[in-house]
Amino acid sequence: MAEPTPTPPPQEQVPVCPRHPDRESYVRCQRCGRPTCPECQRPAAVGIQCVDCVREGAKTVRQARTVFGGSATDGRPVVTMTLIGICVAVFLLQQVMPGLTGRIAFAANVGQSEPWRFITSGFAHGGLLHIAFNMYALWIMGQYLEPMLGRARFAAVYLLSALGGSVVYLMFASYPSPAELAVGQCGSWCQGAVGASGAVFGLFGAFLVLQRRLGRSAAGMYVIIVLNAVIGFVVPNIAWQAHLGGLLTGAVCALVVGYLGRARGPLEPPDRRIHWAGLAGVGVLLVVLAVGRYALV
C-alpha cells in the first residue's frame, strides 16, 4: 500500500504596501494594521500610521479658529502679500502705459458709467512716496489683522473699505453749476483720485474697534490717525474724503465681526454666517448711497 505524500506548508505571502505593491514592508500601520512602506509612513503618538489613516483622522479634528471665528492660518499674511503685489504691479504698469491712471482712477463724473473705478482706483498710486507709505501701512496692519480675522474676512474688510472711501469721496464731490459748465469748469466732480489710502484707513478703523473688543490699548493708532487727518487738510491733492470713508467703513465692518454672531460658549466659534450677512449689508448700503447720490444730480 502506497504511503500518502505529505503536503508542503503554504508559502507565507510577502507583505507589500497597498499604495506601492512593488515594495515589501514589514512595518504595519498602528491604526489599520496594513503594511506601509517608508514613503507612506507617518509618525504618530504611538508607532507609525499610513497616509490614508492620517488623512481620515484629520477629517475628524475640529479646525482651529481665531477668537473672531476665522480659520487659523500658518501665520503667513497671504492676502496682504497678494494685495501689495497687485498694487506694485499696477504702479509699474502706470509707469510704462500712458493713460492707465486716468482709465482706472475714480472721479464722480465717470463712476456711474464705469462703476469698477470705485475699486480699481484703490490699486493705483500717484507717486513713489504715495505707494511706499500705503504699502508699509498695509504690511504692518495686515500682519496683525489678517490672522485675527481670517483671510477671507480680512480681504472683505479691505475691499469694502476701498469701496467706502470712493463712495464718501463721491458724497463730498460738488456737481458743477451751469455757469461753471459754460466755461468748461468741472471742479471736484471731475477730480480723479487714486491710492489705497481709503482701504488702509479702513484697516485702521477695524484695528481700533477690534482692539476695543479685546480690551487692548490702541493709543498709538489714535496718534497715527490724527496725524494723517491733519496732513490730509494741510497738504494739497490728498483725498481726505476717501480717508474718512475708509475709516468709517472699516470700523463698521469690524463692529459686524466683533460684536455680531458672538460665540455661545468658550469652545464654540462665532456664527460666521451672520458675519458674512453683515458684511454684505455694508456693501449694499454703500451701493445704495452711491446710487442715491447720482440720483440727486
Side-chain angles (χ1 to χ4, degrees), residues 52-224:
D52 295 323
C53 288
V54 170
R55 186 178 298 111
E56 286 297 321
K59 295 179 181 179
T60 62
V61 176
R62 177 176 294 183
Q63 187 178 22
R65 297 281 178 184
T66 66
V67 66
F68 298 112
S71 300
T73 65
D74 56 6
R76 293 177 298 174
V78 175
V79 174
T80 300
M81 293 187 292
T82 301
L83 292 171
I84 292 175
I86 294 175
C87 289
V88 171
V90 172
F91 180 73
L92 294 177
L93 289 175
Q94 288 178 257
Q95 312 311 308
V96 299
M97 295 178 60
L100 175 62
T101 303
R103 292 195 295 271
I104 62 178
F106 176 78
N109 65 317
V110 294
Q112 187 174 15
S113 58
E114 301 177 2
W116 57 84
R117 291 175 179 255
F118 280 87
I119 296 295
T120 59
S121 60
F123 292 95
H125 288 84
L128 187 59
L129 288 178
H130 190 199
I131 188 174
F133 172 80
N134 282 338
M135 294 305 98
Y136 175 73
L138 172 55
W139 175 248
I140 296 299
M141 298 306 301
Q143 289 186 89
Y144 182 77
L145 291 177
E146 183 177 336
M148 180 185 295
L149 295 173
R151 290 168 179 167
R153 272 174 292 187
F154 174 78
V157 171
Y158 184 89
L159 294 176
L160 285 172
S161 298
L163 174 61
S166 297
V167 170
V168 173
Y169 185 81
L170 167 66
M171 301 296 289
F172 279 93
S174 300
Y175 190 76
S177 65
E180 291 174 326
L181 291 175
V183 296
Q185 295 180 356
C186 192
S188 61
W189 192 255
C190 301
Q191 181 67 42
V194 294
S197 302
V200 169
F201 266 77
L203 299 183
F204 290 165
F207 176 84
L208 294 178
V209 173
L210 296 179
Q211 289 293 93
R212 176 81 175 182
R213 168 70 174 80
L214 296 173
R216 301 173 183 172
S217 174
M221 185 56 62
Y222 286 109
V223 175
I224 294 176

Side-chain angles (χ1 to χ4, degrees), residues 67 213 256-265 268-271 274-275:
V67 66
R213 168 70 174 80
V256 169
V257 176
Y259 290 90
L260 297 184
R262 299 173 73 168
R264 298 179 180 179
E268 293 295 326
D271 192 337
I274 295 180
H275 290 174

